[in-house]
Amino acid sequence: MRIATTIFLTDETITPVRLAHELEQRGFDGLYLPEHTHIPVSRDTPYPAGGELPREYGRTLDPFVALGQASAVTEHLNLGTGVTLVAQRDPINLAKQVATLDHLSGGRFTLGIGFGWNVEEAADHGVQWRTRRDLGRDRMALMRALWSAEPTAYEGEFGSVRASHAHPKPAQKPRGPVVGPRTLVGGAAGPKLFAHIAEYADGWLPIGGRGLTESVPVLRTAWEAAGRDPEGLRIVPYAVLPSAGKLAHYAELGVNEVVLQLPPAGETEVLRTLDAYAEYL
């Protein structure tokens, strides 16, 4: 099983360059980074895990800048977002960032997308909460038009782009309906999420990996009903605190990649955690 990691990199933690070096040298498969542009202090939206919102949420580095640094100092380490809040980003600019990172890294990038949980953060970006998933779907379609081999126009419910010259193209080749880098969609199991995954993604990024025994067969049914190749579906449990039994269970479900959670800490604590995770490699 491929073992990747995720961490809230901030201005107070280990640096992207130092972490990327250590991950590649130790044989870890990848590094995924989350994002929050800002956290409004009003805090009207409760933290989904309960209690006080951890300090690191308001201090995260921009994932594309940090992953660009990680890409430059590694050769094999895979790179990803977990997750890009695609509804909060301009899709034309985001398409350029994604394509550039995938091109410069030699096709090592995974675009993990999600739809957020902080209503105030999204509102400051002009996002209407009830339509954020449809907005994300629309922006993904617009980006696929820009990533297409030939100039392709797109007219959607929320945005449009003229047929355009847009280079570089992502290094990864089209896969069925998917154009661009490997794309995973995060979020709770449900028919709308699974329909979106089957329509425009390579798979699912379930946070924590709970409930997969029940959810995976449902996703596989939706995937195959959409005419997708059964062998092409990727399910990548994310932000997992590992145990041997948990990883064995994932393997039984056909999972071949898992993303382990690292603490949002300085170098000493992060490297100590990597030492502990070495048994899973």
Side-chain angles (χ1 to χ4, degrees), residues 193-242:
L193 182 81
F194 289 171
H196 283 193
I197 291 170
E199 177 187 350
Y200 63 78
D202 294 288
W204 185 26
L205 199 66
I207 309 300
R210 294 180 180 177
L212 294 185
T213 301
E214 296 75 26
S215 299
V216 167
V218 179
L219 174 55
R220 291 193 186 281
T221 297
W223 180 268
E224 294 178 26
R228 302 293 299 274
D229 178 3
E231 299 300 317
L233 177 61
R234 299 291 176 257
I235 298 167
V236 184
Y238 186 80
V240 170
L241 297 176

Side-chain angles (χ1 to χ4, degrees), residues 18 24-25 36 38 61 80 84 91 101 114 116 118 120 125 137-138 140 143 145 152 208 211 216 223 236 267-268 270:
R18 185 77 178 97
E24 183 155 272
Q25 290 176 2
H36 283 282
H38 65 302
L61 303 183
T84 296
L101 181 54
N118 191 308
E120 299 79 56
H125 287 277
R137 173 178 176 268
D138 191 73
M140 288 298 301
M143 290 194 292
T152 302
V216 167
W223 180 268
V236 184
E267 184 172 317
T268 299
V270 170

Side-chain angles (χ1 to χ4, degrees), residues 64 84 86-87 89-99 111 113 136-148 152 154 161 166 169-170 179-181 183:
F64 288 93
T84 296
V86 66
R89 286 180 170 264
D90 177 278
I92 298 174
N93 288 338
L94 180 58
K96 175 69 77 172
Q97 288 178 294
V98 167
L111 177 62
I113 72 164
R137 173 178 176 268
D138 191 73
R139 289 187 168 169
M140 288 298 301
L142 189 154
M143 290 194 292
R144 289 197 303 277
L146 290 170
W147 294 331
S148 296
T152 302
Y154 176 75
V161 68
K169 300 300 182 184
V179 177
T183 301

